[in-house]
Amino acid sequence: MRIARVFAPSVSSPGTRYALPPDASRHLGKVLRARVGQSLVCFDGTGREYTCTITDIDRKQVWVQVESVTETSNESPLSIKLALAITRGDRMDFAIQKSVELGVIEILPFFSERCEVKLRGDKASKRTAHWQAVALSACEQSGRAVVPQVLAPQALADLVTTEHAMRLVLDPTSEQTLSALPITGNQVLVAIGPEGGFSNEEVDLMTGHGFDSVRLGPRVLRAETAAIVATAALQTLHGDLGR
Ligand code: SAM
């Protein structure tokens, strides 16, 4: 039977009994129908995994005995931050889920000229919390013990001022291919446009702030496809895909 993995940020040290957080308790009790005596893995989001045994289950809570702790080592040597123009429906969810499985370390949602989504009032924080939950679930599934952070949505004008070692903007009309671009260091931030693409002025703004513009082959991809392809290509060329 597959061993369940759940996020437990404040899981205690081996030898102690620990009450799992409400979300993890609900998932184990109601969805996975866990049983007393069953083993599971808790991860704390910073790289440690805890082997545990379920000791008690009631209607709302699951308790575990923490048996042992290990440091996981499946993070990529290439730190990829993904800046995603906010897209409609579940496209953002898809891009976040797949890119977290592929190893990105941070998601930076942003608004640009042709974004069709507006997030007013508390909608932005609710949507950010939803995206963070998508990232967390991708970690549970993929065996990652480090949870990438999803930042609050920002304007492109603010994103361009973000200090970062190397920054790329994906532009289907660029003369430079991603595979031909040397990556200096082990950190890269990649910006991907909305369904309608970046305007010429936005590409100029980004390149003016030091972004390298690159294309991914000769076909125009949907924004969420471009996010996944760029991450996979970077992991293959400079990271750990294939290791
Ligand atoms: N007509 C738009 C354009 O020409 O930019 C298409 C936008 S595409 C649906 C959404 C985003 O995905 C683009 O802004 C770009 O960031 C990225 N993208 C899609 N295909 C790409 C490619 N072949 N090379 C580089 N970026 C690409």
Side-chain angles (χ1 to χ4, degrees):
M1 192 173 65
R2 201 169 142 236
I3 294 199
R5 292 182 86 248
V6 295
F7 179 53
S10 57
V11 58
S12 40
S13 37
T16 55
R17 196 164 166 267
Y18 170 73
L20 292 177
D23 284 355
S25 290
R26 206 173 309 114
H27 183 63
L28 281 165
K30 298 227 160 76
V31 182
L32 300 182
R33 308 232 170 247
R35 296 275 172 261
V36 169
Q38 198 173 311
S39 293
L40 67 107
V41 170
C42 293
F43 63 99
D44 67 0
T46 67
R48 280 181 291 274
E49 283 190 340
Y50 299 75
T51 303
C52 303
T53 306
I54 297 176
T55 57
D56 296 272
I57 302 178
D58 69 19
R59 232 164 40 82
K60 288 197 170 156
Q61 189 78 67
V62 173
W63 284 266
V64 296
Q65 175 75 22
V66 184
E67 314 286 0
S68 60
V69 57
T70 48
E71 293 281 338
T72 57
S73 58
N74 60 5
E75 289 302 304
S76 176
L78 181 68
S79 157
I80 304 172
K81 295 188 178 184
L82 211 52
L84 296 174
I86 297 170
T87 46
R88 277 178 298 158
D90 56 7
R91 291 178 181 191
M92 283 289 280
D93 292 9
F94 188 77
I96 291 170
Q97 181 188 64
K98 303 306 171 203
S99 60
V100 168
E101 288 172 29
L102 285 164
V104 301
I105 198 65
E106 193 170 271
I107 307 279
L108 300 93
F110 67 91
F111 294 106
S112 65
E113 210 177 298
R114 296 179 186 155
C115 272
E116 292 175 18
V117 180
K118 309 270 178 273
L119 297 174
R120 297 204 173 87
D122 66 352
K123 281 196 178 150
S125 56
K126 282 190 179 150
R127 195 64 68 86
T128 308
H130 167 76
W131 291 327
Q132 187 65 66
V134 171
L136 180 54
S137 154
C139 291
E140 285 174 348
Q141 186 277 324
S142 62
R144 288 184 73 178
V146 173
V147 180
Q149 199 186 350
V150 180
L151 303 192
Q154 60 185 313
L156 179 64
D158 295 322
L159 176 74
V160 293
T161 63
T162 306
E163 293 280 328
H164 204 268
M166 181 148 198
R167 295 174 300 170
L168 310 179
V169 48
L170 291 192
D171 176 5
T173 64
S174 174
E175 291 187 356
Q176 184 162 232
T177 61
L178 177 64
S179 55
L181 183 78
I183 299 289
T184 48
N186 59 359
Q187 298 184 355
V188 61
L189 181 149
V190 189
I192 294 145
E195 288 96 332
F198 290 115
S199 66
N200 291 339
E201 293 73 24
E202 287 175 326
V203 173
D204 289 347
L205 176 74
M206 287 188 272
T207 52
H209 278 81
F211 282 64
D212 287 295
S213 138
V214 287
R215 72 170 192 275
L216 299 168
R219 289 169 293 279
V220 177
L221 310 172
R222 282 180 182 267
E224 66 275 23
T225 315
I228 297 161
V229 170
T231 308
L234 283 166
Q235 291 288 41
T236 305
L237 293 166
H238 311 283
D240 62 3
L241 211 63
R243 280 193 198 165

